Amino acid sequence: MKNFSFIIVAGGKGSRFGTKKQFMKLGDKSLWQWSADSAAELKDSGVNEIILVIPKDSDKNEILWNSPLPFKIIHGGDTRSESVLNGLNTASCEYVLIHDAARPFADKNLFLRLMNATDENSGAIPVLPVADALKKIDGENISIVNRDGLFVTQTPQSFPREKLIEAVKLNLSAKDEAESWLSAGHKLKSVEGNKMNFKITWTEDMATARALAEKNFPRSQTRTGLGYDVHQLVPERKLILGGIEIKDSPLGLLGHSDADLLTHAVMDSILGAAGLDDIGNIFPASDEKFRIADSIELLKEVLKLVKNSGWRVDFVDAVVEAQVPRLNKYREEIKKNFEKFFDINIKFKSAENLNDSGRGLSMTCWACATLSRE
């Protein structure tokens, strides 16, 4: 059996989306994870390791995935070719499958067709015939392009690793690995592609992908959980909410850890929906190792517990009640910090001087999480 490294290219900057789309949620998981899960299904068919190439300014520690295969996370380069080279140099198998993270719906049969077609002298690519009428536009001149014999190329693409490394080095400006491979004079085979295996390039594509994910991969059992936390506001403490420091606040929240009550309430809502114990028992204040603990790191541990219990986080809704300081300007930054892990909505409300929160003596938070069975 041929042995393959499965390289997921997820090093894009997200210029068209305004954010790194590879980390956006599609259904119940990040876009890149769809490809990783597909690769994991090939562990008995020749795929021996999975390599995820992420942007060079992204944090490897924020990637959460329980892989059944050896799983390596590496940083990419400034261009696609540089990112692919980093992946190839990290890979250890004789052959490689290189796949765009922006193509979430590639199926197992497509992977197997490519793997079977690849040998020590030939690479393989999936193609589809061009179905639309083509025109070439040059200024105001429009001319007809004959589509006969024209095909669009998809990923994954499959090659002998060592030969591909040399080919990519010779053509760093290539649009894909097949272009580098052909430029180096190597033999290339084609297999039938898959129409579902489209690339998410524009925001409209993501809407289409989400509709397809909901239709073809419906979620099963769902449960909800409620989380609540309250902390006193005191001087000489940092104010941390959702892992973000509110630097213009003269007061902070009193607590054994960093007292991030928003993250605490979110964690308890997730644990509650999964039927697990609350954070007071999982991370007890009596344990000194949790003194001034980073609550986002604790959240990562909670997500591992929940995943190991067979649940995934679909959505969280949270309300923070606070009179001071004014927090709405921090909403998007805090929201993005949570969206590394799951979709969330956050609201900040004033208690209008009616209780301790309303008088600026404390803050209160409620959170509601929806979970589905893996």
Side-chain angles (χ1 to χ4, degrees), residues 8 47 60 107 148 154 183 212 262 278 299 306 310 316 318 347:
I8 303 169
V47 170
K60 296 179 185 179
D107 67 302
D148 292 344
Q154 301 178 320
S183 297
L212 287 170
L262 172 55
D278 64 25
L299 173 62
V306 169
V316 176
K347 301 174 288 293

Side-chain angles (χ1 to χ4, degrees), residues 290-303:
F290 300 121
R291 181 176 291 279
I292 319 178
D294 182 336
S295 292
I296 293 296
E297 293 302 314
L298 301 183
L299 173 62
K300 293 177 183 179
E301 294 302 315
V302 164
L303 293 175

